[in-house]
Amino acid sequence: MRRPSMSFVKPKSILSTILLVCCMAIRLCLCSSSVVSSLNALHVQGNFSFDGNEFAANDFGNQFHFLPSAVLHPKKVSDIAATIKHVWQMGPASGLTVAARGHGHSLQGQAQAPQGIVINMESLSGQEMQVHRGKFPYVDVPAGELWINILHECLKYGLAPKSWTDYLHLTVGGTLSNAGISGQAFRHGPQISNVHQLEVVTGKGEVVVCSEEKNADLFHAVLGGLGQFGIITRARISLEPAPKMVKWIRVLYSDFSTFARDQEHLISAENTFDYIEGLVIVNKTGLINNWRASFNPEDPEQASQFVSDGRTLFCLELTKNFNPDEATKIDKEMKSLLSQLSYIPSTLFVTEVSYVEFLDRVHAAELKLRSKGLWDLPHPWLNLLVPRSKIHSFAEGVFGNILTDTNNGPVLVYPVNKSKWDNRTSFVTPDEDIFYLVAFLPHAVPSNTENNGLQHLLSINKRILNFCEAAHLGVKQYLPYHTTQEEWRAHYGPRWEVFVQRKSAYDPLAILAPGQRIFQKAISIL
């Protein structure tokens, strides 16, 4: 198979550097009236914007800002196909690249296209969602639709998607291009394991419908494919009956081994909770009092005497779904499950909320942070997948050592079952039956150059990555950020060659998703 007409990110010599600078100069030259006129000549039902596109150079990470030459606001999938086909037909002489942008929740410029074309996928979100009932219910949705809107539409039929992310104000195409992980993943797998069919526009501008039965290689390539092989424009999502209510539980541990053992027991049990996540809490002041605002302590007197200051604690967060007529039965099940765990007894907190309120819990926190001006800050997040056999070494080296407090953002730690992940997709995991998601989710305060400043938080991330490498822990990054061919090759390991072959097949000019920094479009300078 012919290799893609592209180069990798890291130049290896002075000559390569000079050529790269020349290519960048040519790329900048292309951002002129000729680009504007060529795009304006395209027959699209939506429109291109060439000014006022600063939003497309921003994202949730708030660390990288690259302006595109144009933003496409499509009304139809054919607008996306026509635009990509136009760039494809321009060939390697053009430096134009194309990136799909959903709700702008990328962390390191992954959905940006420097001097290229950004496709505003939310322009497609107004298309109809179609819910299909029956023995195996599903919903057909445009890829620019937010998961929160899909939830509300499906609930009209008493149904809901099986697998979620913690934050629902993300687009379908965005999460399916990564994985989509939350506390339901131990049972249902990530969101990419709950898709029946996709519509995709490839790097050649071809619109392809794909599934496990039809165009299967493209289907699996695009799922978790970081936007490298095509832009997802529509998806068919698996559904299940939706509960109305949720029992929401939090308990604390002081010992990581006990905490991890209980988590692994729960994700392996046949009768268990519906959602299982964990958090690391380091030197958190007034933790129990904060919980009292939303949760009820099982033993108020004992809970009031619990001190979290100066300690490294581990919170197990659990839910049990139910309908109102099942409340008594669910209480018994919940107590039976909790009796199998070894948490600190005085730290059992329980509340009862609607299913929607639980799933949309992070949005409630978002509104509070926005009101304080603390949402649109840099978010130097680091998400890692750690093999089960190495999680204790990781915890010992990081929690309370490299990481000395969690006051500027949560740290998640919870296990998932590899058997629920499809290894035919582009997503790579540690090669063990159980692995942990460890997510460091801080925000940086721009005026603070010490513990809450961006550079300090980035240095902590670097120390954690260096520790993992030195200790040979075999971790993989989730929402990966790498900048060299060697790093990407190491990330994909033995699956790197398949990744490159798929790139050659579906985006041979490396037009798509330049912000991932995996491949760089090769430009002819003749």
Side-chain angles (χ1 to χ4, degrees):
M1 183 180 292
R2 184 171 65 88
R3 291 293 190 205
S5 176
M6 58 198 169
S7 61
F8 293 104
V9 172
K10 188 79 169 182
K12 293 291 185 181
S13 65
I14 294 177
L15 177 60
S16 298
T17 304
I18 294 172
L19 287 173
L20 182 60
V21 171
C22 292
C23 291
M24 290 300 294
I26 293 170
R27 188 172 297 185
L28 288 171
C29 291
L30 286 170
C31 300
S32 62
S33 59
S34 63
V35 172
V36 174
S37 60
S38 75
L39 294 179
N40 276 330
L42 287 178
H43 297 290
V44 296
Q45 296 189 41
N47 67 284
F48 288 96
S49 61
F50 302 97
D51 299 301
N53 291 330
E54 286 76 15
F55 78 96
N58 294 316
D59 57 28
F60 183 70
N62 205 8
Q63 297 177 64
F64 296 89
H65 306 278
F66 298 107
L67 268 173
S69 293
V71 173
L72 171 66
H73 306 272
K75 285 189 176 179
K76 300 284 187 181
V77 172
S78 59
D79 292 352
I80 299 173
T83 300
I84 295 176
K85 183 169 286 186
H86 174 68
V87 177
W88 160 256
Q89 290 174 341
M90 293 172 74
S94 162
L96 281 178
T97 55
V98 179
R101 185 184 194 273
H103 204 52
H105 209 73
S106 295
L107 295 173
Q108 286 139 327
Q110 286 93 338
Q112 297 176 29
Q115 301 298 328
I117 302 168
V118 169
I119 298 176
N120 179 16
M121 297 299 294
E122 287 191 298
S123 294
L124 291 176
S125 62
Q127 295 183 5
E128 184 182 3
M129 289 183 273
Q130 299 175 342
V131 176
H132 296 258
R133 302 189 228 189
K135 187 175 181 181
F136 301 105
Y138 62 86
V139 60
D140 279 324
V141 298
E145 195 62 77
L146 299 181
W147 284 100
I148 183 64
N149 296 335
I150 295 169
L151 172 63
H152 286 303
E153 181 65 22
C154 292
L155 285 175
K156 296 175 184 177
Y157 302 86
L159 299 167
K162 299 175 181 177
S163 189
W164 297 97
T165 53
D166 287 338
Y167 180 63
L168 302 193
H169 295 250
L170 305 171
T171 61
V172 170
T175 66
L176 295 185
S177 295
N178 289 283
I181 309 175
S182 187
Q184 306 86 6
F186 77 94
R187 173 179 288 160
H188 296 296
Q191 291 180 320
I192 59 173
S193 293
N194 293 275
V195 182
H196 295 314
Q197 181 177 286
L198 298 171
E199 180 186 70
V200 174
V201 181
T202 71
K204 301 176 185 178
E206 300 166 339
V207 181
V208 182
V209 175
C210 53
S211 65
E212 288 195 357
E213 292 77 33
K214 182 180 181 182
N215 300 309
D217 186 67
L218 178 60
F219 178 72
H220 293 122
V222 168
L223 292 171
L226 305 179
Q228 293 301 302
F229 312 109
I231 293 175
I232 300 171
T233 52
R234 200 162 182 87
R236 180 170 292 179
I237 309 297
S238 180
L239 303 177
E240 66 177 0
K244 288 186 168 56
M245 300 298 294
V246 168
K247 291 280 188 181
W248 188 0
I249 303 154
R250 286 178 178 170
V251 294
L252 287 174
Y253 295 74
S254 59
D255 174 65
F256 182 80
S257 295
T258 307
F259 167 71
R261 184 189 67 215
D262 278 359
Q263 284 197 97
E264 290 175 20
H265 163 71
L266 289 174
I267 71 162
S268 302
E270 187 171 339
N271 180 28
T272 187
F273 292 96
D274 296 300
Y275 160 99
I276 300 168
E277 286 197 8
L279 298 97
V280 182
I281 301 165
V282 183
N283 195 23
K284 192 82 168 179
T285 301
L287 175 67
I288 296 299
N289 284 334
N290 291 339
W291 282 8
R292 284 178 183 271
S294 305
F295 289 77
N296 300 313
E298 186 78 2
D299 186 336
E301 183 177 349
Q302 289 295 316
S304 65
Q305 297 176 24
F306 186 84
V307 177
S308 59
D309 304 49
R311 303 177 66 180
T312 297
L313 299 166
F314 307 96
C315 171
L316 184 54
E317 188 170 62
L318 311 161
T319 69
K320 196 72 175 168
N321 302 335
F322 70 102
N323 292 316
D325 59 350
E326 303 170 313
T328 302
K329 174 188 170 187
I330 289 298
D331 280 338
K332 289 180 180 178
E333 286 185 16
M334 187 180 74
K335 288 178 181 177
S336 174
L337 289 169
L338 288 171
S339 70
Q340 302 168 29
L341 307 180
S342 301
Y343 56 88
I344 302 169
S346 62
T347 65
L348 172 58
F349 279 68
V350 183
T351 192
E352 189 175 299
V353 297
S354 71
Y355 186 56
V356 172
E357 186 178 348
F358 173 72
L359 289 178
D360 203 28
R361 62 198 179 280
V362 177
H363 182 57
E366 173 191 352
L367 295 177
K368 292 179 182 177
L369 290 171
R370 283 190 182 278
S371 69
K372 299 176 182 178
L374 296 175
W375 185 258
D376 296 318
L377 297 174
H379 292 89
W381 287 8
L382 177 65
N383 296 270
L384 302 175
L385 304 176
V386 183
R388 175 182 179 270
S389 65
K390 304 294 185 181
I391 191 63
H392 296 279
S393 298
F394 181 92
E396 184 178 350
V398 175
F399 304 144
N401 290 311
I402 297 175
L403 186 72
T404 55
D405 74 65
T406 55
N407 289 306
N408 58 344
V411 177
L412 308 182
V413 184
Y414 58 91
V416 293
N417 295 306
K418 185 179 174 67
S419 62
K420 303 298 182 179
W421 297 65
D422 190 336
N423 62 12
R424 295 171 296 179
T425 70
S426 292
F427 193 85
V428 290
T429 69
D431 192 21
E432 291 191 7
D433 291 342
I434 292 175
F435 57 89
Y436 280 73
L437 172 68
V438 184
F440 301 88
L441 311 177
H443 64 269
V445 180
S447 60
N448 194 320
T449 58
E450 297 182 0
N451 292 345
N452 295 325
L454 177 59
Q455 292 308 314
H456 173 74
L457 296 173
L458 289 172
S459 70
I460 289 176
N461 290 350
K462 184 65 175 175
R463 288 176 62 195
I464 292 170
L465 290 171
N466 288 343
F467 168 76
C468 292
E469 184 176 359
H472 305 289
L473 299 186
V475 305
K476 298 289 184 184
Q477 286 191 39
Y478 174 48
L479 311 176
Y481 174 70
H482 300 296
T483 58
T484 69
Q485 176 186 355
E486 291 79 9
E487 288 172 345
W488 281 111
R489 185 186 293 273
H491 174 77
Y492 284 102
R495 298 172 63 184
W496 171 248
E497 288 303 319
V498 171
F499 195 85
V500 173
Q501 289 166 11
R502 284 172 166 174
K503 186 69 171 177
S504 177
Y506 304 117
D507 183 26
L509 292 185
I511 291 168
L512 301 177
Q516 295 285 359
R517 303 169 181 84
I518 304 174
F519 305 104
Q520 181 171 313
K521 187 175 183 182
I523 306 172
S524 170
I525 59 174
L526 299 178

